């Protein structure tokens, strides 16, 4: 086991949960005695044993109460609330190419470290940089600060140089070269492949295996940008750019067309979004369902469905077919339930908008939920593995270097262990999940008022979607507390 942790624990009532203490101890011993070669970034090192019905009920009531309050508020009150901005500074794109080239150089060093450095995923910087700093830390920064990836991605700088060398000019302003009917389907398929590699592949943390996968993906994306244009491919094919741009719409910092940064309320840019096509709806739902399945796939409940003893976890290789089935099933179920909620809501309100238009607009309310799940699901991985990343980056090739003075830093794994720390983490995780769903209800009401002129109809249209969000709140909190294996 890599020692990665996830989840939470709180103070236990000794008189009522002694049996659960024993079960948790046995589960932990079984996890440490299992033999998969590498562990995943979200593996959990402890189990929450205190009855959490109060948290689950409180979260469901909080989401339901937010719906009732919003249903009584006039639309113009919330419209004035969302329009508040605080101007900050303005800057141009002059340094964007340089920043991207620096990012590309760092990426190339990480690939070399993956191929030539330590085989230990907690000592090699490549797995830590991709699974912890990029997929956890940078996603959360986008939800807070906006679209940093448009500057930090390792393609823009090399593409600008290649475009000038081959005389292609500024491809960002060229006519679209991708067929319009493709929409976001290339990004959808690539994100599914990414999620499969992260969640199902037997060794996603193996530095050499990850180096080949990441290097090949960079090369294929770079070729696609040269063929279809940077703007077209990055906005519809490169899944990281698509995902980061969607998440960045929730940020409290926005950049307008003149290059000025403004401080705004969370979700302001989401409310101004245009409806997504079917491919965009599928992409957003896949991002949420994949993180949800990551938590579900290791639960005693899921393993029990297939007759697997969670205390004798067979390893990721033996779970490939089950995991692949579950990843697809989770997406299909979420998509079906979301579609039904939108259909019933439109019928309740007597709306005349098409299903695709209503769903394409309302699906944007999924963004705060996806961010909340990302935060809660990977929080402890970020706290612990983030320290390993700082140490590994100082010595990328395991040659005894100390480039940033962090190579010998002590790893404080206790930040996510112990009753006190785990209690605080659990409350933070639970609070973020509840807040994410409440924001989703708030945004969904804003979208509903764009679809329906009468406030009563707007509120009616949101009732099925609110029920779905309440159910997903309960599901998310359950995932945090249920015993897991593997």
């Amino acid at each position: 086991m890599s020692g990665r942790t996830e989840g939470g624990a709180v103070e236990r009532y000794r008189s009522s949960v002694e049996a659960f203490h024993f079960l948790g101890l046995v589960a932990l011993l079984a996890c440490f005695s299992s033999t998969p070669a590498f562990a995943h970034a979200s593996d959990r090192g402890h189990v929450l044993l205190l009855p959490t019905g109060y948290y689950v009920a409180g979260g469901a009531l909080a989401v339901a109460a937010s719906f009732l309050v919003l249903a009584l508020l006039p639309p113009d009150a919330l419209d004035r609330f969302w329009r508040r901005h605080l101007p900050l500074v303005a800057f141009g794109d002059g340094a964007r190419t340089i920043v991207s080239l620096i990012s590309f150089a760092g990426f190339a060093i990480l690939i070399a470290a993956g191929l030539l450095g330590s085989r230990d995923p907690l000592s090699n910087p490549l797995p830590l940089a991709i699974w912890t700093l990029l997929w956890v830390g940078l996603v959360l920064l986008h939800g807070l600060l906006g679209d940093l990836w448009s500057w930090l991605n390792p393609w823009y700088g090399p593409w600008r140089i290649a475009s000038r060398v081959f005389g292609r000019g500024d491809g960002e302003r060229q006519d679209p070269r991708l067929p319009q009917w493709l929409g976001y389907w290339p990004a959808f398929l690539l994100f599914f492949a990414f999620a499969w590699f992260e969640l199902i592949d037997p060794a996603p943390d193996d530095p050499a295996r990850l180096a080949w996968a990441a290097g090949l993906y960079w090369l294929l994306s770079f070729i696609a940008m040269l063929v279809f244009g940077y703007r077209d491919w990055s906005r519809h094919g490169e899944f990281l750019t698509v995902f980061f741009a969607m998440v960045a719409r929730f940020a409290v910092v926005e950049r307008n067309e003149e290059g000025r940064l403004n401080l705004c309320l969370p979700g302001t840019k989401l409310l101004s979004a245009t409806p997504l096509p079917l491919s965009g709806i599928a992409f957003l739902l896949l991002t949420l369902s994949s993180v949800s399945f990551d938590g579900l796939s290791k639960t005693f409940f899921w393993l029990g469905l297939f007759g697997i003893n969670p205390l004798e976890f067979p390893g990721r290789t033996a779970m490939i077919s089950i995991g692949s089935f579950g990843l697809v099933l989770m997406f299909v179920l979420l998509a079906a339930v979301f579609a039904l909620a939108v259909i019933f809501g439109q019928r309740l309100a007597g709306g005349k908008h098409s299903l695709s238009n209503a769903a394409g607009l309302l699906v944007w309310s999924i963004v705060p939920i996806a961010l909340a799940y990302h935060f809660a699901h990977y929080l402890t991985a970020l706290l612990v593995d983030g320290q390993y990343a700082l140490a590994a980056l100082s010595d990328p090739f395991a040659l005894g270097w100390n480039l940033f003075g962090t190579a010998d830093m002590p790893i404080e794994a206790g930040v996510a262990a112990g009753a006190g720390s785990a209690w605080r983490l659990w409350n933070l995780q639970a609070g973020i999940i509840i807040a994410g769903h409440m924001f989703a209800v708030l945004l969904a009401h804003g979208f509903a008022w764009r679809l329906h002129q009468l406030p009563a109809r707007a509120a009616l249209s949101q009732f099925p979607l609110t029920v779905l969000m309440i159910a997903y709140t309960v599901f998310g909190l359950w995932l945090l507390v249920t015993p897991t294996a593997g």
Side-chain angles (χ1 to χ4, degrees), residues 165-431:
V165 170
F166 295 110
R168 292 179 177 269
D170 190 352
E172 284 194 281
R173 295 180 176 87
Q174 290 178 351
D175 293 333
R177 302 176 192 170
L178 277 175
Q180 189 174 3
W181 60 267
L182 271 179
Y184 293 92
W185 290 121
F188 174 88
L189 294 175
L190 288 171
F191 186 90
F192 182 85
F194 170 81
W196 189 95
F197 182 76
E198 179 199 11
L199 305 178
I200 313 299
D201 187 86
D205 282 350
D206 177 24
R209 190 183 187 90
L210 183 58
W212 281 106
L216 181 61
Y217 177 70
W218 184 93
L219 180 61
L220 293 177
S221 295
F222 185 67
I223 294 173
M225 290 172 183
L226 292 177
V227 173
F228 300 110
Y230 175 84
R231 182 186 182 93
D232 229 24
W233 185 255
S234 63
R235 290 191 173 187
H236 296 93
E238 204 287 290
F239 73 89
L240 286 173
T241 304
V242 174
F243 179 64
F244 284 139
M246 289 180 174
V247 168
R249 285 184 169 272
F250 185 77
V252 297
V253 178
E254 67 169 357
R255 186 171 182 242
N256 59 25
E257 296 179 355
E258 290 75 29
R260 175 172 291 278
L261 294 180
N262 298 308
L263 196 63
C264 59
L265 294 168
T268 297
K269 290 187 67 177
L270 282 171
L271 281 178
S272 62
T274 56
L276 285 171
L278 178 61
S279 56
I281 298 172
F283 181 87
L284 258 182
L285 293 175
L286 178 62
T287 62
L288 176 58
S289 66
S290 64
V291 177
S292 299
F293 178 70
D294 190 9
L296 177 66
S297 62
K298 302 177 186 67
T299 62
F300 285 18
F301 168 78
W302 174 259
L303 296 173
L305 291 178
F306 301 93
I308 297 174
N309 183 351
L311 303 183
E312 297 178 355
F313 187 73
R316 291 173 65 113
T317 301
M319 298 288 293
I320 289 178
S321 59
I322 294 175
S324 301
F325 166 75
L327 184 61
V328 174
L329 178 65
M330 191 72 185
F331 166 73
V332 171
L333 289 178
L334 179 60
V337 174
F338 174 77
L340 288 174
V342 174
I343 291 172
F344 290 154
Q346 291 297 103
R347 289 187 177 180
L348 281 176
K352 298 180 180 179
H353 293 273
S354 65
L355 172 62
S356 60
N357 185 62
L361 199 58
L362 291 170
V363 76
W364 284 112
S365 63
I366 294 293
V367 170
I369 298 178
L371 267 173
Y373 271 77
H374 216 85
F375 179 91
H377 189 65
Y378 296 119
L379 174 60
T380 50
L382 180 62
L383 293 176
V384 177
D385 289 359
Q387 299 177 66
Y388 282 105
L390 291 177
L393 288 172
S394 272
D395 187 15
F397 298 99
L399 296 175
W401 298 351
N402 195 4
L403 299 176
F404 307 110
T406 57
D408 299 320
M409 64 177 288
I411 306 301
E412 298 292 341
V415 69
S421 296
W423 183 86
R424 288 188 291 270
L425 289 176
W426 155 249
N427 280 278
L428 180 59
Q429 291 169 312

